[in-house]
Amino acid sequence: MRVSVRTANPSLRRQLLGPLMWVWVAVALIAAWGAYRLAQFAGDTAYDQTLQDETGAIATQVYWTDRGPLLELSIQAQQLLARDSEDRNAFMVIDTMGQILAGTANLPMPEDYKASFEAPQLFDATYLGEPVRGAIYSIRSPMLDQEVSIVVVETRRRRQELEREIQLAVLLPTVALGLLTFALLHWGIRRGVAPLRRVATAVEARDPQDLQPLPLEGVPAEAVPLIERINMLLANVERAVALQRRFVADAAHQLRTPVAGVRVLAQELQQELKDSGGEVTPGLLRELVSSSERMGRLVSQLLNLARSEAALRGMGAELQPVDIVPIVREAAEPLALRASRLGRHVALHAPMQPCRARAHPVWLGEAVANLLDNALRHGGPEIHLTVEPVEGGVRIEVRDNGEGIPADQRALVFEPFWRGERADTRSTDGAGLGLAIVKEVVQGMGGRIALRSRPDCDGTSFEVWLPA
């Protein structure tokens, strides 16, 4: 019975991708911060330089006269400077008396603008409820004691749009490259661990008794020592199982003769006491004879189990197609006679034409006899044995109309010595080895066996499929 155990251990992919993901997140955050700072620097540098150039250009148009400074800007130039576009731009030329020579009045100015006489000075302010960036440039008359200041302000709309464009231009390729990298890493890791998954799938699909070494073809070099250790463990287990089977076979073989002798002596004692007319305790003597017969059957089944495991191991390639019907019929006849003596009925359903499958005649007969014996011991009064050809082989079914097997016990019926929770009351002479022998024989011949019981069918059904 295969038991699946699920653990909470993280997968190899998660262990490899997890640290890389955190590194990528850290790099993405650094890239986002760098893109933000780069966008700010680029936008401020470009637009601040434009503001300074505009103040300088206006300053070159200031002329000094006896009446004071004059600004000779064409109407087109003034409209261009005061345009209301996506960015709200405005300029102002103001003298020391606060008189507006040109432009828009009440533009914000820094309180201390002494440094603006040497070069245009940048400042931040609020104009009409909106944050603006401004530049102020002050000039003095070379001959008159007069000075003027040129102020140009603009909103931050365009530079914020430029900053967003730069950020997207930096972040989008970073995110796309990161996702592509993760996809490639995931594919590469998945491809790298695929041989391990194939090994795990092959092990899961194996029969529990298949102890052949695991293949090393295509396994990554890092996993080869692990697979080699597993193969060494499988070899040790196979040796231990072989020793156990040999011990069972030898013990059963050695016990067979003395047990048969005990049974014969018990039967002769029963007959002698009966012939001599001596005092006999019938129940005790019958129990002695019955116990010796049960012991003989147990030893015989142990020997058959050991022999079937040894005889059918590796025999799959040597089995030849044979007609199944006469084998099944010959194995069923003694059980049918026994059933009639017990008031039971065994019905054989088989076609007239041959049903050929790859099988060992002796061991197939043993398997059919054990299935019928199990039905007689634990099933209902009506037993049906069916043989029919199917695609790719032959199907053999033994079905009875008994009370059935509980669902939680069906996976255990093929285990050696398992007789059910109430085996002591349902049967007195079963050893719990018959179905184990059947499973060993069927699998040794390359077939499979399945069990159905109530409510899936009317009673209990054992189905055997043998390949053609």
Side-chain angles (χ1 to χ4, degrees):
M1 181 177 61
R2 184 179 295 112
V3 180
S4 177
V5 179
R6 295 184 178 272
T7 64
N9 295 335
S11 65
L12 182 59
R13 288 199 301 270
R14 182 178 298 179
Q15 293 184 23
L16 292 175
L17 289 176
L20 294 176
M21 182 187 70
W22 289 113
V23 170
W24 180 79
V25 169
V27 171
L29 292 176
I30 295 174
W33 180 83
Y36 173 76
R37 298 297 299 171
L38 175 64
Q40 274 193 331
F41 175 78
D44 289 343
T45 300
Y47 281 92
D48 288 350
Q49 186 63 47
T50 301
L51 286 175
Q52 292 173 332
D53 292 342
E54 288 181 357
T55 57
I58 295 174
T60 59
Q61 302 300 313
V62 175
Y63 297 94
W64 303 98
T65 65
D66 296 339
R67 293 178 297 177
L70 294 176
L71 179 64
E72 296 184 355
L73 284 179
S74 63
I75 297 177
Q76 292 79 3
Q78 295 184 35
Q79 290 176 348
L80 180 63
L81 288 171
R83 68 186 183 278
D84 185 12
S85 60
E86 185 176 351
D87 257 339
R88 183 176 296 171
N89 298 337
F91 81 99
M92 175 181 69
V93 180
I94 185 171
D95 59 13
T96 54
M97 303 300 294
Q99 182 177 357
I100 305 300
L101 302 181
T104 305
N106 300 324
L107 289 183
M109 294 177 54
E111 295 181 358
D112 182 12
Y113 54 91
K114 294 180 180 180
S116 64
F117 285 96
E118 299 178 0
Q121 178 181 348
L122 298 169
F123 64 91
D124 294 312
T126 301
Y127 177 59
L128 299 179
E130 188 174 0
V132 294
R133 181 75 165 168
I136 181 171
Y137 186 33
S138 301
I139 57 176
R140 293 189 178 90
S141 171
M143 294 179 294
L144 303 175
D145 188 17
Q146 294 181 354
E147 60 186 39
V148 295
S149 297
I150 299 96
V151 180
V152 179
V153 298
E154 67 176 4
T155 58
R156 293 182 170 271
R157 298 173 188 172
R158 284 189 176 274
R159 67 178 65 202
Q160 289 175 350
E161 181 181 353
L162 176 62
E163 291 173 3
R164 286 193 297 270
E165 292 176 354
I166 295 176
Q167 291 170 3
L168 290 176
V170 174
L171 289 179
L172 286 181
T174 302
V175 173
L177 182 61
L179 294 177
L180 177 61
T181 302
F182 263 92
L184 292 176
L185 285 173
H186 186 273
W187 174 81
I189 294 173
R190 185 179 181 85
R191 184 171 179 268
V193 301
L196 298 180
R197 289 200 304 272
R198 288 196 294 269
V199 171
T201 302
V203 172
E204 184 178 4
R206 278 190 175 192
D207 185 86
Q209 298 181 10
D210 186 359
L211 300 177
Q212 294 298 315
L214 300 176
L216 293 174
E217 292 78 7
V219 176
E222 294 80 2
V224 169
L226 173 62
I227 303 300
E228 289 179 343
R229 291 290 182 180
I230 294 176
N231 287 339
M232 292 175 60
L233 178 61
L234 290 174
N236 293 335
V237 172
E238 187 172 19
R239 283 194 293 271
V241 172
L243 289 175
Q244 181 185 26
R245 288 171 177 163
R246 183 176 178 180
F247 169 77
V248 171
D250 292 344
H253 182 74
Q254 296 298 325
L255 287 172
R256 192 173 189 179
T257 300
V259 167
V262 170
R263 184 174 69 252
V264 172
L265 291 175
Q267 291 173 350
E268 289 183 355
L269 176 61
Q270 185 182 33
Q271 186 64 36
E272 285 183 6
L273 291 174
K274 183 178 179 180
D275 295 341
S276 63
E279 295 183 1
V280 183
T281 306
L284 182 60
L285 193 54
R286 282 197 303 271
E287 185 64 26
L288 176 60
V289 174
S290 177
S291 297
S292 64
E293 290 178 350
R294 288 200 303 272
M295 187 181 300
R297 180 174 177 79
L298 173 59
V299 172
S300 178
Q301 285 193 328
L302 280 172
L303 189 58
N304 285 339
L305 179 61
R307 286 175 175 174
S308 68
E309 292 174 347
L312 293 171
R313 180 171 296 273
M315 190 181 287
E318 302 176 6
L319 296 176
Q320 299 297 325
V322 295
D323 186 6
I324 300 298
V325 176
I327 300 174
V328 172
R329 191 184 303 277
E330 181 180 356
E333 285 179 356
L335 279 299
L337 294 175
R338 176 180 155 195
S340 64
R341 290 195 298 266
L342 297 174
R344 314 276 286 281
H345 179 251
V346 175
L348 174 62
H349 309 280
M352 298 300 295
Q353 68 272 19
C355 295
R356 306 185 68 82
R358 295 173 65 250
H360 190 286
V362 175
W363 290 114
L364 177 59
E366 179 73 15
V368 172
N370 283 338
L371 287 175
L372 289 173
D373 180 73
N374 179 77
L376 286 174
R377 294 177 187 276
H378 308 291
E382 292 292 332
I383 302 172
H384 294 269
L385 173 58
T386 303
V387 181
E388 63 177 356
V390 295
E391 183 178 357
V394 173
R395 184 181 76 95
I396 303 172
E397 180 188 20
V398 175
R399 177 170 49 87
D400 66 77
N401 60 346
E403 62 185 41
I405 302 175
D408 58 343
Q409 299 182 22
R410 295 175 192 172
L412 302 173
V413 298
F414 297 105
E415 298 294 329
F417 300 104
W418 190 87
R419 298 170 59 198
E421 295 179 354
R422 298 186 58 194
D424 56 336
T425 60
R426 295 179 61 185
S427 178
T428 59
D429 57 352
L433 291 174
L435 293 179
I437 294 174
V438 172
K439 179 182 178 183
E440 191 72 28
V441 167
V442 170
Q443 292 183 344
M445 293 186 298
R448 66 183 191 276
I449 185 170
L451 164 63
R452 295 185 300 122
S453 192
R454 295 180 185 272
D456 299 333
C457 66
D458 184 16
T460 300
S461 169
F462 289 90
E463 289 184 289
V464 174
W465 288 272
L466 295 176

